[in-house]
Amino acid sequence: MERITSAKNPLIAHLKKLHTDRAYRAQCGQFLCEGRKLLREALQWYPKIDTVVATEGFELPGLPPGTRVVTVPESLMERISVMKSPQGVLFTCALPGKRPLTVQRGMLLLDRIQDPGNLGTILRTADAFDVPVLLTNGCADPFSEKTVRASMGAVLRTPPQSAPMEEILAACRVQGVPLAATALAPDSEDLRGVRMNDYLVVIGSEGQGICQELLDASDKKIIIPMQQRCESLNAAVAATIVLWQMRN
């Protein structure tokens, strides 16, 4: 077990950059998690924990062989942590390796969901309903600390796939997977009358909606019925309703 007390230590600088820099996370092949619950989730579900940093006196659970363990004073943990009340432990995990793109019916496709809190909440809900998730490249980083925390560990249990939109559409054409896009359009159908699991269902961001290319490629447009005075729903709320309908 190592002990670090200096904020200038290379590991401390590395951890702080993992918090803030998506390109750096991709370059290093690591992402950062924080808190007791996420550590428990990672130990149960995630294949590779690299480094665990804990405050002195923090009682660590059993860790996999080869895990680097570092203790720091509370004052230094407060400088590393982005939480208002640090829980005394944070850790790094290896990013998932590149997987062959999978598209299938009964899957959720998220287009340009850029708020980490919304994205994490959707991933958490999709995990609860056992619906696989695919992200276009315009989405927030699913492995940012904010998204991981908002997902309550869902990204550790069921990591989402990410791919460019053009690659996703090409795979759908090759495999014969139809798309259903949530859209405020005159020809949109009430989702309660649609067999949702027959489609790859697309949800866009609140501000931008679904990109035109995905709308043009969609085989069906669907809408969540609501009062006419209401223009739209929060993306995470809309996704929850869609996921419920897909499950049922």
Side-chain angles (χ1 to χ4, degrees):
M1 186 178 292
E2 304 173 49
R3 184 172 184 267
I4 291 174
T5 58
S6 171
K8 296 181 180 180
N9 185 280
L11 175 62
I12 304 304
H14 171 65
L15 296 175
K16 293 178 77 170
K17 200 165 183 182
L18 285 178
H19 266 309
T20 58
D21 193 329
R22 182 174 188 170
Y24 184 73
R25 288 192 290 270
Q27 176 188 334
C28 297
Q30 288 186 326
F31 65 101
L32 190 66
C33 303
E34 185 168 356
R36 298 170 184 267
K37 184 184 186 302
L38 286 179
L39 181 57
R40 290 196 300 269
E41 292 287 339
L43 289 171
Q44 183 175 358
W45 297 101
Y46 206 74
K48 180 60 173 160
I49 298 176
D50 295 321
T51 301
V52 174
V53 179
T55 52
E56 293 156 337
F58 184 91
E59 189 173 341
L60 287 168
L63 300 173
T67 304
R68 183 182 180 187
V69 181
V70 177
T71 63
V72 296
E74 286 189 12
S75 58
L76 188 51
M77 178 63 77
E78 288 172 358
R79 295 186 64 172
I80 307 168
S81 173
V82 294
M83 300 177 72
K84 289 183 178 179
S85 301
Q87 296 183 19
V89 64
L90 49 80
F91 57 99
T92 64
C93 293
L95 284 170
K98 182 72 174 175
R99 296 175 285 165
L101 176 61
T102 300
V103 295
Q104 64 189 57
R105 298 167 190 258
M107 191 177 205
L108 191 67
L109 172 60
L110 303 180
D111 179 43
R112 299 181 296 175
I113 304 292
Q114 296 175 345
D115 180 79
N118 272 340
L119 179 58
T121 300
I122 295 170
L123 294 175
R124 178 183 180 184
T125 308
D127 180 52
F129 291 145
D130 198 25
V131 173
V133 178
L134 178 58
L135 312 177
T136 64
N137 278 354
C139 286
D141 184 1
F143 297 99
S144 73
E145 190 274 336
K146 288 182 180 179
T147 308
V148 173
R149 184 152 40 92
S151 82
M152 295 297 286
V155 296
L156 301 170
R157 298 185 293 269
T158 52
Q161 297 183 81
S162 298
M165 180 195 60
E166 296 79 9
E167 194 175 315
I168 294 169
L169 289 176
C172 287
R173 287 192 293 268
V174 169
Q175 298 184 38
V177 176
L179 277 73
T182 55
L184 292 169
D187 57 341
S188 293
E189 298 180 30
D190 188 324
L191 84 169
R192 293 173 296 182
V194 178
R195 289 176 55 88
M196 302 286 282
N197 277 333
D198 288 345
Y199 298 90
L200 172 61
V201 182
V202 190
I203 291 181
S205 70
E206 293 173 60
Q208 304 176 77
I210 295 169
C211 70
Q212 194 60 48
E213 292 88 344
L214 281 172
L215 279 175
D216 292 343
S218 296
D219 300 270
K220 189 180 289 291
K221 297 183 182 71
I222 56 176
I223 191 169
I224 299 169
M226 66 182 80
Q227 295 295 327
Q228 291 185 352
R229 62 178 177 268
C230 301
E231 183 179 336
S232 64
L233 293 171
N234 171 278
V237 173
T240 299
I241 295 170
V242 167
L243 286 163
W244 175 258
Q245 194 67 24
M246 291 173 73
R247 176 70 178 268
N248 290 279

